[in-house]
């Protein structure tokens, strides 16, 4: 089975993760721009970060047979440094329409402060102006209210629910998100977000329509194999294969291909050539470069 | 210093627009026209930035098809401009950049700087290829030299190959570095515009030093570098050594270098190889024929 992990922060993961992910059938990842574990102190850090998302990280992933996409945005936490946030807003138009950028995101609320609200709305406006999809990060605290208010804002700014992915859902939020016509993504992340046994029950209860599974793996104790492992658990616990494929592959494909930057043919026709260099740099450290001309050799069906 | 060329921006826009209108859909053309109109009328910078990035989303990335007339027109608008290998998105991005108002020079350069410093690889290639067409050409020298320093071969080639900007605007230092780097990264020198005009003794010396270094390590060098050599006794010694090898490609290149050298000893050296001297005399062996027959140049 092929998998998409539509929410993973590869910048904080190792090349070894890419190798293992590919072994387990992950063919494409989406990396939403987020914070770095500590607040950035200047707009220049954002600029380099965004550049690495559309540049080096895309290259590094491709060297291991994984197609890398990203979303561009000012994350909720850092919206609270208003002086900086204003400068980052100036940067966003330089990146939002680059190749492989599939949405504005992840944006939304963390503490639900007025500053967060202000920059969330400005970014919704930008998405509307550029006809882009939006990826919403729902807060860890006061999640239910945060999710509702995020959706209200999207509607207020004229975005169609079918073009918005609400992420980090749980048993409390899923019903409203689905009822209002948004995509409902779930982060399988140890302890803090959603466990995969709980995920199985959600699919059992709500079916597979507009539900998306991702890992959100980052520098924390998290699992870059969360999507394939959840798929395996679902199969073991009797969820029909078609439903597993929908929530671990097809729905992410359907949601993000609306961006015209995300297409199955990208990974079905891609090749690996580890002789390639990016800015003169290689991902290899003395290893023999792998050159594969067809995906057939690497697909695990 | 060198001949300076200011391009007629309106004509360049017209030509690119014509070429694109034959190839892209009405819808894509409408999008492009709308954006370039807004930008030329002074729209907010963010419209320029997003449109510049978004071009392939609307126009695609196929090769631009150009007729011989188009190419002739291009060379007439800007001597040395050769968009033969451009793609549709590169042409579209160039149109967008050419639409940017440029009377406020400082602001114009600042906006370009934002795009250059945040560009992805494909965007960089489009930007560097469009350099010879941009207003205030003399202001882009440092930027072009930065492109030459790039570790991305495609970006380096966008500055160095099929681009008249370096020959027209680089000083000798930047120019010589570019040629030397082209040799290092294996880019074909015959695609460097006006390289014969910009040949100079300092460059010749650097190239021969490089060749000797390679020989000492038992490695070969591209025969193309002899094209720029022949100013001194020491260089003739190197050419004599090349002529003694049994590599006909290297020999032909060295013979051509002798033929173009201003030194009388060079002609004497060439006379020791009467068949090569005769071929050059008949016009059967020239640098352009050499590039075509020995290096696969499609010109
Ligand atoms: Zn995230």
């Amino acid at each position: 089975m092929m998998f998409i992990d539509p929410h993973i922060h590869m910048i904080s993961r190792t090349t070894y993760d890419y190798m293992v992910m590919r072994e387990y059938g992950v063919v494409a990842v989406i990396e939403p721009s987020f914070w770095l574990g500590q607040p950035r102190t200047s707009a220049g850090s954002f600029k380099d970060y965004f550049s690495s998302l559309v540049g080096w990280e895309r290259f590094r992933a491709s060297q291991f047979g994984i197609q890398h996409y990203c979303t561009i945005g000012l994350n909720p936490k850092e919206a609270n440094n208003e002086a900086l946030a204003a400068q980052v807003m100036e940067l966003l138009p330089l990146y939002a329409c680059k190749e492989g950028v599939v949405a504005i995101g992840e944006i939304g609320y963390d503490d639900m402060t007025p500053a967060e609200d202000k920059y969330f709305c400005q970014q919704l406006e930008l998405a509307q102006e550029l006809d882009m999809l939006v990826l919403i990060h729902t807060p860890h605290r006061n999640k239910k209210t945060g999710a509702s208010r995020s959706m209200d804002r999207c509607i207020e700014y004229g975005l169609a629910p079918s073009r918005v992915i609400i992420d980090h859902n749980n048993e409390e939020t899923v019903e409203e998100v689905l009822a209002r016509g948004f995509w409902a993504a779930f982060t399988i992340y140890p302890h803090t977000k959603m466990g995969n046994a709980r995920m199985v029950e959600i699919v059992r209860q709500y079916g597979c329509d507009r539900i998306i599974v991702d890992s959100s793996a980052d520098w924390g104790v998290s699992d870059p194999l969360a999507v394939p492992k959840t798929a395996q658990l679902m199969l073991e616990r009797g969820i029909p294969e078609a439903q597993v494929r929908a929530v671990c592959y097809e729905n992410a494909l359907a949601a993000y291909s609306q961006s015209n930057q995300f297409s199955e043919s990208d990974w079905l026709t891609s090749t690996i050539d580890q002789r390639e260099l990016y800015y003169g740099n290689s991902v290899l450290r003395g290893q023999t470069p792998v050159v594969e001309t067809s995906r057939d050799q690497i697909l695990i069906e | 210093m060198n001949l300076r060329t200011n391009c007629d921006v309106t004509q360049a826009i017209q030509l690119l627009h014509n070429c694109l209108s034959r190839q892209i859909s009405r819808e894509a053309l409408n999008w492009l026209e709308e954006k370039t109109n807004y930008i030329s009328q002074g729209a907010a910078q963010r419209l320029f930035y997003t449109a510049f990035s978004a071009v392939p989303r609307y126009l695609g990335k196929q090769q631009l098809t150009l007729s011989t007339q188009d190419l002739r027109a291009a060379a007439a608008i800007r001597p040395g401009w050769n968009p033969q290998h451009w793609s549709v998105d590169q042409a579209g991005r160039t149109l967008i950049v050419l639409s940017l108002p440029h009377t406020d020079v400082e602001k114009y350069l600042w906006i370009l700087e934002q795009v250059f410093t945040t560009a992805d690889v494909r965007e960089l290639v489009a930007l560097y290829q469009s350099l010879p067409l941009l207003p205030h050409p003399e202001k882009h020298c440092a930027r072009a030299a930065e492109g030459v320093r790039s570790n991305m071969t495609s970006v380096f080639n966008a500055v160095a190959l099929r681009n008249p900007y370096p020959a027209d605007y680089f000083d000798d230092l930047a120019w010589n570095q570019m040629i030397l780097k082209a040799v290092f990264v294996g880019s074909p020198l015959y695609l460097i515009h006006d390289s014969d005009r910009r040949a100079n003794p300092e460059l010749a010396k650097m190239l021969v030093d490089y060749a000797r270094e390679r020989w000492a390590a038992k490695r070969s060098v591209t025969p193309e570098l002899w094209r720029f050599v022949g100013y001194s006794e020491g260089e003739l010694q190197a050419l004599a050594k090349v002529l003694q090898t049994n590599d006909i490609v290297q020999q032909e290149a060295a013979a051509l270098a002798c033929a173009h050298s201003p030194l009388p000893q060079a002609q004497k050296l060439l006379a020791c190889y009467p068949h090569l001297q005769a071929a050059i005399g008949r016009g059967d062996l020239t640098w352009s024929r050499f590039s075509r027959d020995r290096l696969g140049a499609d010109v």
Side-chain angles (χ1 to χ4, degrees):
Chain A
M1 204 180 271
M2 289 191 290
F3 300 108
I4 294 170
D5 190 340
H7 190 145
I8 183 165
H9 298 285
M10 290 311 297
I11 195 166
S12 54
R13 310 295 316 187
T14 65
T15 289
Y16 184 76
D17 290 333
Y18 275 128
M19 294 172 67
V20 180
M21 285 161 71
R22 200 194 66 178
E23 288 287 306
Y24 277 76
V26 177
V27 289
V29 296
I30 297 173
E31 175 150 12
S33 51
F34 198 49
W35 74 323
L36 292 176
Q38 61 180 30
R40 278 163 282 210
T41 55
S42 73
S45 316
F46 276 94
K47 188 168 165 179
D48 291 335
Y49 172 64
F50 293 149
S51 290
S52 77
L53 290 184
V54 296
W56 166 254
E57 207 49 58
R58 207 166 146 76
F59 168 77
R60 185 166 74 121
S62 75
Q63 293 287 280
F64 296 91
I66 292 180
Q67 301 299 303
H68 182 281
Y69 306 82
C70 69
T71 74
I72 291 289
L74 168 67
N75 59 282
K77 271 183 216 277
E78 287 174 288
N80 291 306
N81 180 346
E82 285 215 53
L84 185 58
Q87 292 177 51
V88 178
M89 287 305 300
E90 299 282 299
L91 275 176
L92 295 184
L94 284 152
Y95 290 94
C97 297
K98 291 210 194 300
E99 275 193 82
V101 179
V102 295
I104 297 289
E106 48 188 307
I107 59 174
Y109 298 113
D110 184 48
D111 269 348
M112 288 193 261
T113 61
E116 288 176 15
D117 199 45
K118 172 180 166 188
Y119 289 105
F120 179 40
C121 292
Q122 283 188 13
Q123 294 185 88
L124 291 178
E125 238 167 356
L126 182 67
Q128 178 67 335
E129 178 186 321
L130 300 176
D131 196 23
M132 289 184 74
L133 306 177
V134 169
L135 169 63
I136 306 280
H137 161 100
T138 52
H140 303 283
R141 301 168 300 277
N142 205 3
K143 185 180 281 289
K144 211 170 169 189
T145 312
S148 296
R149 191 184 297 173
S150 301
M151 288 183 278
D152 293 345
R153 285 279 187 253
C154 289
I155 299 298
E156 207 178 300
Y157 280 85
L159 288 143
S162 61
R163 295 178 61 83
V164 179
I165 298 98
I166 310 285
D167 208 345
H168 314 317
N169 281 290
N170 59 22
E171 291 85 349
E172 295 296 300
T173 57
V174 55
E175 202 161 320
E176 184 188 344
V177 171
L178 290 176
R180 296 178 74 173
F182 291 82
W183 296 90
F186 293 83
T187 298
I188 311 300
Y189 198 107
H191 306 298
T192 54
K193 289 162 185 158
M194 171 63 62
N196 56 5
R198 284 161 61 202
M199 192 66 226
V200 175
E201 294 316 310
I202 282 177
V203 173
R204 213 189 293 286
Q205 190 178 342
Y206 293 92
C208 62
D209 255 14
R210 280 180 287 120
I211 286 181
I212 295 172
V213 174
D214 60 61
S215 75
S216 210
D218 53 16
W219 53 84
V221 181
S222 47
D223 192 344
L225 295 179
V227 176
K229 283 182 181 172
T230 303
Q232 193 185 331
L233 192 71
M234 285 179 179
L235 292 173
E236 277 168 18
R237 300 201 171 171
I239 304 288
E241 197 179 314
Q243 291 196 13
V244 177
R245 187 172 299 130
V247 300
C248 296
Y249 180 80
E250 284 162 359
N251 291 349
L253 178 60
Y256 285 102
S257 56
Q258 297 180 84
S259 69
N260 293 329
Q261 294 292 296
F262 194 76
S263 147
E264 202 171 40
S265 64
D266 295 353
W267 47 90
L268 293 182
T269 61
S270 75
T271 56
I272 297 177
D273 185 352
Q274 292 186 340
R275 294 168 305 190
E276 284 176 20
L277 301 178
Y278 185 79
Y279 280 99
N281 290 316
S282 161
V283 288
L284 305 178
R285 295 293 177 267
Q287 295 91 339
T288 310
V290 171
V291 180
E292 285 176 355
T293 47
S294 160
R295 294 270 331 176
D296 299 345
Q297 295 131 289
I298 54 173
L299 276 183
I300 305 159
E301 292 269 32
Chain B
M1 88 155 253
N2 315 302
L3 115 131
R4 304 224 155 194
T5 319
N6 259 305
C7 164
D8 186 328
V9 172
T10 323
Q11 285 182 24
I13 288 177
Q14 195 56 52
L15 176 67
L16 287 170
H17 184 273
N18 285 347
C19 297
L20 283 173
S21 65
R22 292 195 304 255
Q23 217 180 328
I24 62 177
S25 70
R26 187 65 239 177
E27 200 187 355
L29 197 65
N30 285 346
W31 177 84
L32 188 64
E33 284 170 356
E34 188 189 287
K35 297 297 172 190
T36 50
N37 281 340
Y38 283 138
I39 293 163
S40 63
Q41 287 156 23
Q45 282 151 35
R46 91 183 202 186
L47 187 100
F48 169 70
Y49 298 145
T50 52
F52 178 77
S53 282
V55 166
R57 296 181 181 218
Y58 293 87
L59 274 60
K61 299 197 277 193
Q62 68 273 43
Q63 275 303 115
L64 188 65
T65 44
L66 294 149
S67 65
T68 14
Q69 286 105 299
D70 295 330
L71 290 171
R72 231 178 282 132
I77 293 166
R78 172 62 173 91
W81 179 31
N82 178 5
Q84 199 180 351
H85 293 263
W86 284 24
S87 55
V88 159
D89 57 315
Q90 286 164 354
R93 281 183 165 147
T94 303
L95 268 183
I96 286 186
V97 174
L98 289 178
S99 307
L100 197 58
H102 50 86
T103 36
D104 182 344
V105 184
E106 218 162 282
K107 187 177 171 198
Y108 173 70
L109 293 174
W110 186 85
I111 294 174
L112 277 187
E113 179 76 7
Q114 303 314 302
V115 185
F116 265 107
T117 57
T118 56
D120 65 24
V121 178
R122 239 185 136 75
E123 290 174 331
L124 280 177
V125 169
L127 286 167
Y128 282 116
Q129 283 182 339
S130 68
L131 276 186
L133 305 177
L134 300 189
H136 314 296
E138 69 289 345
K139 303 276 190 194
H140 309 305
C141 241
R143 175 48 62 193
E146 188 60 38
V148 167
R149 281 190 284 274
S150 170
N151 283 322
M152 303 289 285
T153 309
S154 57
V155 175
F156 170 79
N157 285 346
V159 188
L161 309 185
R162 297 189 177 95
N163 188 339
Y165 188 90
D168 288 346
Y169 292 99
F170 275 7
D171 60 20
D172 276 352
L173 188 69
W175 171 263
N176 291 350
Q177 280 306 323
M178 184 184 85
I179 302 284
L180 210 57
K181 183 155 177 184
V183 171
F184 262 83
V185 301
S187 295
L189 305 188
Y190 61 82
L191 291 178
I192 297 176
H193 183 73
D194 249 357
S195 63
D196 290 331
R197 178 167 66 79
R198 294 298 309 270
N200 62 79
E202 185 58 31
L203 173 64
K205 187 177 167 302
M206 293 198 295
L207 289 173
V208 170
D209 283 351
Y210 165 76
R212 292 220 161 91
E213 232 175 79
R214 297 276 298 181
W215 288 341
K218 305 256 179 291
R219 295 198 167 104
S220 60
V221 296
T222 168
E224 280 199 278
L225 59 78
W226 307 123
R227 184 166 185 163
F228 304 97
V229 168
Y231 293 91
S232 71
E233 192 55 46
E235 288 164 29
L236 290 190
Q237 280 167 18
L239 291 176
K241 194 174 160 181
V242 178
L243 282 162
Q244 277 163 24
T245 61
N246 45 24
D247 179 341
I248 183 64
V249 179
Q250 289 281 346
Q251 285 178 318
E252 284 181 0
L256 280 166
C258 289
H260 290 283
S261 166
L263 302 178
Q265 303 95 298
Q267 309 311 319
K268 250 193 259 166
L269 176 59
L270 180 58
C272 305
Y273 300 86
H275 61 293
L276 291 171
Q277 189 182 36
I280 293 170
R282 286 194 307 270
D284 289 346
L285 179 57
T286 63
W287 275 118
S288 69
R289 282 193 167 209
F290 178 84
S291 303
R292 192 192 63 200
D293 300 342
R294 299 298 191 188
L295 308 168
D298 57 0
V299 282

